[in-house]
């Protein structure tokens, strides 16, 4: 197995196969769940809209593939009570992980205390489900703001720091990923990292694995601590594992 094939195998086991398209249907969810159980083994999870969690739970029973869903998504400014109600319902429907957008606009407006406040409330509402805090690093832009977002999410008890919604112009970047990983390392807490959006091919996925290996150590990046949020990269990973040429990249998450 080549180095790139080894990276593809690692990445696929850590993939949150995603469909957060506005026109997503029940048939799309069924197809996504089938794709997640690949000929080279399962992905870590599917990431879908809350209204499809119960359906996905039925499709994925017995596979070990987790279900992630999104709240306060994508704008990060939904009413808190709606966010908490949606979190509780999603977990009741079978969600294993809650990917929540932090109130990043409030952070940019000078209200950093609202970040840990909401994260901690979602963390409580999620019960045993993991909470991934989406920082929307491409909008925050400034390294100091991204660090503040990390600090607030960690203070609130987030289980993962996630870069992006995939719904803005700039999503995951290695620069932002380094900031998140360094914040996790400095915290000393068992918190994971999820780059999302913009991971298009095996080389992109390998670059984030290399970044994790550099900052956190060679054995750190595994499904419990590292995820890739993407929709199209699975095709590229499978092609790499099959020893085939990668397909032409497509637009999207």
């Amino acid at each position: 197995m080549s180095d790139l094939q080894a990276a593809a195998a690692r990445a696929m086991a850590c993939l949150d196969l995603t469909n957060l398209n506005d026109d997503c249907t029940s048939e799309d969810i069924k197809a996504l769940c089938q794709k997640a159980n690949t000929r080279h083994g399962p992905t870590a999870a599917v990431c879908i809209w809350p209204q499809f969690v119960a359906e996905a739970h039925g499709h994925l029973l017995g596979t070990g593939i987790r279900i992630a869903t999104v709240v306060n998504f994508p704008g990060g400014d939904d009413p808190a009570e709606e966010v908490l109600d949606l979190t509780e319902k999603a977990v009741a429907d079978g969600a294993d992980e809650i990917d929540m957008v932090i109130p990043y606009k409030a952070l940019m407006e000078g209200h950093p205390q609202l970040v840990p406040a909401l994260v901690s409330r979602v963390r409580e509402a999620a019960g045993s489900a993991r909470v991934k805090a989406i920082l929307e690093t491409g909008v925050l832009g400034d390294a100091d703001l991204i660090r503040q977002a990390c600090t607030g999410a960690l203070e609130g008890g987030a289980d993962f720091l996630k870069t992006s919604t995939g719904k803005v112009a700039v999503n995951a970047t290695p620069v932002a990923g380094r900031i998140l990983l360094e914040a996790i390392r400095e915290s000393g807490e068992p918190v994971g990292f999820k780059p999302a959006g913009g991971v298009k091919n095996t080389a992109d996925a390998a670059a984030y694995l290399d970044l994790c290996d550099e900052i956190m150590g060679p054995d750190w990046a595994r499904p419990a601590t590292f995820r890739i949020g993407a929709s199209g990269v699975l095709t590229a990973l499978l092609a790499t594992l099959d020893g085939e040429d990668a397909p032409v990249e497509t637009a999207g998450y």
Side-chain angles (χ1 to χ4, degrees), residues 1-15 38 40-43 201-207 209 226 228 233-243:
M1 180 179 285
S2 69
D3 289 347
L4 197 61
Q5 285 176 316
R10 288 179 72 192
M12 193 176 69
C14 296
L15 179 62
T38 85
H40 289 286
T43 66
N201 53 48
T202 304
D204 290 339
L209 285 165
F226 177 68
I228 295 170
V233 75
L234 178 61
T235 304
L237 297 175
L238 291 172
T240 299
L241 288 167
D242 288 338

Side-chain angles (χ1 to χ4, degrees), residues 64-237:
I65 298 169
R66 298 170 69 85
I67 299 170
T69 193
V70 292
V71 300
N72 208 27
F73 188 96
D77 50 9
D78 293 344
E81 294 307 319
E82 291 182 13
V83 174
L84 299 175
D85 288 347
L86 190 58
T87 297
E88 290 176 355
K89 184 178 188 307
V91 173
D93 285 346
D96 303 293
E97 301 170 1
I98 302 294
D99 289 27
M100 65 159 293
V101 182
I102 67 165
Y104 66 90
K105 295 170 189 173
L107 172 62
M108 296 173 75
E109 292 165 359
H111 305 288
Q113 74 280 3
L114 297 182
V115 176
L118 184 61
V119 173
S120 63
R121 294 183 74 187
V122 172
R123 168 68 278 163
E124 183 177 359
S128 62
R130 292 179 179 173
V131 173
K132 305 192 196 92
I134 306 173
L135 310 185
E136 203 67 291
T137 55
V139 175
L140 293 176
D142 179 76
D144 287 339
L145 270 179
I146 295 172
R147 291 188 192 98
Q148 284 187 56
C150 293
T151 298
L154 291 166
E155 182 183 332
D159 298 296
F160 269 73
L161 298 183
K162 176 178 172 179
T163 60
S164 320
T165 61
K167 298 289 188 179
V168 295
V170 178
N171 292 290
T173 66
V175 172
R178 180 175 291 277
I179 295 172
L180 270 60
L181 283 165
E182 288 176 348
I184 292 167
R185 183 183 64 191
E186 291 165 11
S187 76
E189 297 295 331
V191 174
F193 165 58
K194 179 177 173 178
V199 183
K200 303 295 186 184
N201 53 48
T202 304
D204 290 339
Y208 283 107
L209 285 165
D210 288 345
L211 192 63
C212 291
D213 291 348
E214 174 197 339
I215 296 172
M216 304 300 293
D219 299 321
W220 183 83
R222 57 192 190 280
T225 52
F226 177 68
R227 300 292 178 83
I228 295 170
S231 57
V233 75
L234 178 61
T235 304
L237 297 175

